[in-house]
Amino acid sequence: KAGVTQTPRYLIKTRGQQVTLSCSPISGHRSVSWYQQTPGQGLQFLFEYFSETQRNKGNFPGRFSGRQFSNSRSEMNVSTLELGDSALYLCASSFDPDTQYFGPGTRLTVL
Amino acid sequence: AQSVTQLDSHVSVSEGTPVLLRCNYSSSYSPSLFWYVQHPNKGLQLLLKYTSAATLVKGINGFEAEFKKSETSFHLTKPSAHMSDAAEYFCVVTGILTGGGNKLTFGTGTQLKVEL
């Protein structure tokens, strides 16, 4: 089976812009979770989608949003980018409620 | 609420010597515990998981971990380190969320350095 894929792998944006990241889960996995990884805060849970519904959400501002499509692919959107949003964004899929498998991540740099 | 504490932020070993990465957890119920590894500029790869079956869990690349409830520990070991083991290792506990599904809570990571 193909693993979790994330696109793009690298992004450079400027403050105030918005960005959309994409995640394709492992075939058959219906749960997709997003995490933010930064040197200062480590790995933090953003949200989880299951069957096109946001099922759980971490402690991030409303500028961070997402959605899931009927084929389980998920997108994450960050609006009004801030310097502090620079991070590695990781997507993970699971055959709920089992183990989560991670993609390679999208490295976002905000200038 | 659940949490994990990785007791060492950096560990340095010589190639061919044993590896020990320490992790303590806190959970109000029987947890599922994982170790993930992250190589530079890569995503997270699952090494092994504990889900209340055998307390000694064998993973990939010769790694294993032992669940000790009395000590609330889940230390990762490998008998003989290889240069390719140099990476960051994360101890992870899952928690069942009220909306269903689960959320991973990560430790702060241990950077493993392997020297010749």
Side-chain angles (χ1 to χ4, degrees):
Chain A
K1 270 187 182 178
V4 178
T5 58
Q6 292 186 245
T7 56
R9 292 292 313 278
Y10 301 91
L11 267 176
I12 299 176
K13 294 285 187 179
T14 56
R15 279 181 297 174
Q17 287 187 310
Q18 75 161 14
V19 67
T20 299
L21 313 182
S22 181
C23 171
S24 292
I26 293 170
S27 177
H29 288 191
R30 294 165 65 192
S31 171
V32 174
S33 298
W34 289 89
Y35 296 82
Q36 182 196 63
Q37 185 178 25
T38 60
Q41 300 298 317
L43 279 146
Q44 294 183 286
F45 172 72
L46 280 156
F47 31 64
E48 184 221 0
Y49 285 85
F50 181 81
S51 292
E52 303 179 62
T53 301
Q54 186 182 88
R55 188 161 62 171
N56 294 292
K57 190 175 190 306
N59 295 323
F60 278 81
R63 299 186 298 106
F64 292 82
S65 63
R67 59 177 174 168
Q68 187 180 34
F69 301 94
S70 58
N71 61 358
S72 293
R73 188 177 71 84
S74 177
E75 288 182 347
M76 188 191 105
N77 185 275
V78 187
S79 62
T80 319
L81 284 165
E82 301 177 359
L83 294 178
D85 297 333
S86 293
L88 180 66
Y89 290 89
L90 291 162
C91 163
S93 75
S94 67
F95 186 70
D96 183 68
D98 210 296
T99 310
Q100 295 188 20
Y101 296 90
F102 285 81
T106 295
R107 172 77 62 186
L108 172 64
T109 302
V110 182
L111 302 176
Chain B
Q2 63 281 338
S3 65
V4 288
T5 302
Q6 291 184 245
L7 300 167
D8 307 292
S9 58
H10 292 82
V11 169
S12 184
V13 301
S14 298
E15 191 175 35
T17 64
V19 175
L20 170 63
L21 305 183
R22 299 182 294 164
C23 172
N24 287 112
Y25 71 90
S26 172
S27 179
S28 54
Y29 49 84
S30 294
S32 291
L33 291 159
F34 303 78
W35 278 96
Y36 283 86
V37 60
Q38 186 176 35
H39 288 91
N41 300 313
K42 302 282 189 181
L44 294 161
Q45 181 184 20
L46 177 67
L47 275 179
L48 50 81
K49 65 177 180 179
Y50 165 78
T51 54
S52 76
T55 56
L56 182 62
V57 182
K58 293 190 183 298
I60 62 171
N61 300 335
F63 284 95
E64 62 182 38
E66 186 172 7
F67 175 75
K68 291 187 176 179
K69 187 175 181 179
S70 60
E71 299 176 10
T72 61
S73 68
F74 189 58
H75 301 336
L76 181 71
T77 60
K78 182 174 180 178
S80 176
H82 191 271
M83 294 296 290
S84 61
D85 295 328
E88 189 158 22
Y89 292 78
F90 292 94
C91 182
V92 179
V93 63
T94 62
I96 305 299
L97 299 169
T98 54
N102 58 56
K103 163 192 155 185
L104 303 186
T105 298
F106 288 83
T108 50
T110 297
Q111 191 71 45
L112 175 64
K113 183 178 180 182
V114 182
E115 298 173 317
L116 285 170

